[in-house]
Amino acid sequence: MKSNYISKNENLVEYYKLVQIAHEQIQTEYRKDIIPDIYAPVLLSLEIVDRPEISLLPFISYSLFGDKLESIVPQGVIYGKLLWGAGRTVDDLLDQDTHKNGSRTTWNKYGSNAAILSSLELTSRAASYLIETNKSLDFENEKSDTLLNLIINHIGETMYGELNAIILDKRISEGGFVSEDEFINMLRYKVASWFYNPLISGCLVARVSEKDFNIMKEFGMNLGIAYAILNEIKDALGDFHDIMVGKANIVLTTALNMTKGTSEEAVLRGIVKNRSSDVDLERVRKICDGSIKRLRGVIERRISLAEKNIFNLDGVKYPSARNEMQDLLSLVK
């Protein structure tokens, strides 16, 4: 389903059609298996991808500098569908999310083992797709190696981010504290990497300068961190799911730091310890109100940095494409 962000950008509508065509081809391949049920969890992992904009990030960055849109269609599919589907499946399992976009999550419907195996399948398929893409684009060996290293690093960063999240969860559950910087560093790998890696993949295909490459990566990092913090705030303003299942949430960790040694900290610690849904959510939200205001300020600063990144790009061939970069920031406003 297309988002409002995609619908209001004519170029993105066309890009999205290309992604959907390639996505349907991949789904068809899975359905051709001699025992179709084997790949049912994998298909579900692809279907519940909740951010169609991620599919378009390589297209958006490439459209600033490149000439032949068709050459990066496989790149959009790799990062937008395959790796994002793999990452979301693992993330839902670790966060114990039972539903996504009105559908049961892969682990909830098929079990933890199926979710892990689905993620591995999508990751390996992404790698093989990238290799085939490199051959079809006729890149020089150095460029192909760079793209392959990109996907390897992306997988490694995601793994580091998820493992880091587990460590922070454990520290909070044992009565410790997590600094804002520590949490944001974790979000950089766990979430923001899903923004900056697709963006720089489009830059690599377009053969941009090192300066623009680094600027685009920084833009994706700022956007991704802002997006991740906003999601944490939405959780806090909703049902505080993370606290209920004993997960470190940046709103919670910031609130714990701000209320250290008070009765309010004791209330938050009690929820984390007991993992009970029978809590006074309004009281929890009131306790966390100060931390939410502080974090909204962090989001605003990240957006401001991202806007500067857009302005500082040098080798842009198609200035109108800057508008799509600017529109991306609407995802976190």
Side-chain angles (χ1 to χ4, degrees):
M1 184 176 181
K2 288 185 295 186
S3 68
N4 290 332
Y5 165 69
I6 293 174
S7 298
K8 71 179 183 179
N9 289 275
E10 292 183 7
N11 287 342
L12 298 189
V13 171
E14 294 306 310
Y15 299 173
Y16 194 62
K17 287 179 181 177
L18 295 172
V19 172
Q20 288 298 89
I21 290 171
H23 179 211
E24 289 167 6
Q25 291 173 345
I26 292 171
Q27 289 179 312
T28 299
E29 289 180 29
Y30 282 124
R31 292 192 180 102
K32 285 181 178 179
D33 187 79
I34 192 169
I35 308 176
D37 289 347
I38 288 179
Y39 287 107
V42 181
L43 285 167
L44 180 60
S45 293
L46 282 174
E47 289 167 2
I48 62 174
V49 172
D50 62 342
R51 287 263 61 118
E53 296 87 358
I54 303 297
S55 311
L56 301 176
L57 293 179
F59 293 85
I60 292 171
S61 60
Y62 181 88
S63 67
L64 289 163
F65 311 100
D67 294 310
K68 296 180 180 179
L69 174 65
E70 293 78 8
S71 66
I72 64 159
V73 172
Q75 298 298 328
V77 175
I78 288 168
Y79 291 103
K81 294 292 183 181
L82 300 174
L83 281 183
W84 185 251
R88 284 303 323 174
T89 299
V90 171
D91 191 66
D92 290 340
L93 172 60
L94 294 176
D95 292 346
Q96 299 180 33
D97 287 330
T98 58
H99 288 77
K100 188 71 64 179
N101 293 337
S103 170
R104 292 170 67 183
T105 53
T106 305
W107 84 267
N108 177 254
K109 186 172 182 177
Y110 295 104
S112 301
N113 291 342
I116 293 170
L117 292 171
S118 294
S119 179
L120 289 173
E121 161 62 23
L122 291 174
T123 302
S124 63
R125 176 63 67 99
S128 64
Y129 211 120
L130 181 58
I131 292 171
E132 292 303 315
T133 300
N134 288 340
K135 292 179 181 177
S136 66
L137 292 178
D138 194 29
F139 279 151
E140 60 270 24
N141 289 335
E142 181 181 354
K143 187 66 66 175
S144 295
D145 290 345
T146 303
L147 279 168
L148 287 171
N149 286 332
L150 177 63
I151 192 171
I152 292 169
N153 290 338
H154 186 182
I155 294 169
E157 287 174 339
T158 302
M159 182 67 71
Y160 175 83
E162 295 289 3
L163 290 173
N164 197 356
I166 292 172
I167 296 299
L168 299 186
D169 291 342
K170 186 173 186 292
R171 191 191 305 174
I172 289 294
S173 68
E174 293 177 348
F177 292 87
V178 174
S179 71
E180 184 177 292
D181 286 344
E182 285 179 302
F183 206 102
I184 288 178
N185 184 58
M186 180 270 288
L187 292 178
R188 169 192 171 186
Y189 296 101
K190 186 173 184 284
V191 182
S193 64
W194 294 94
F195 286 81
Y196 64 73
N197 278 314
L199 282 167
I200 61 178
S201 73
C203 289
L204 285 172
V205 177
R207 297 171 170 82
V208 303
S209 68
E210 182 177 356
K211 177 185 177 182
D212 282 340
F213 177 90
N214 290 331
I215 290 174
M216 191 65 74
K217 182 174 182 177
E218 188 176 334
F219 169 85
M221 192 174 300
N222 287 320
L223 173 64
I225 289 173
Y227 170 84
I229 294 174
L230 181 61
N231 270 357
E232 300 273 294
I233 291 175
K234 286 180 178 178
D235 175 73
L237 295 177
D239 59 4
F240 242 134
H241 170 79
D242 287 347
I243 287 186
M244 303 309 178
V245 299
K247 297 289 180 181
N249 174 295
I250 195 169
V251 175
L252 166 66
T253 56
T254 303
L256 287 172
N257 290 328
M258 294 176 69
T259 61
K260 190 173 183 179
T262 69
S263 59
E264 292 178 330
E265 182 199 349
V267 171
L268 297 177
R269 294 289 185 189
I271 296 172
V272 172
K273 181 179 180 179
N274 298 322
R275 299 187 183 183
S276 171
S277 59
D278 184 22
V279 298
D280 185 348
L281 281 175
E282 288 306 314
R283 184 182 183 189
V284 175
R285 294 184 189 119
K286 186 175 181 180
I287 293 174
C288 294
D289 185 59
S291 63
I292 290 174
K293 288 180 180 178
R294 173 181 173 80
L295 292 170
R296 288 195 185 280
V298 175
I299 291 175
E300 290 175 3
R301 288 193 292 277
R302 290 287 175 173
I303 291 174
S304 177
L305 289 171
E307 289 174 335
K308 290 180 181 178
N309 292 146
I310 297 171
F311 178 79
N312 289 332
L313 289 169
D314 277 342
V316 176
K317 292 183 180 179
Y318 305 100
S320 61
R322 289 182 191 266
N323 296 332
E324 291 162 9
M325 294 285 293
Q326 186 69 40
D327 286 343
L328 271 174
L329 299 179
S330 66
L331 298 176
V332 290
K333 289 183 178 180

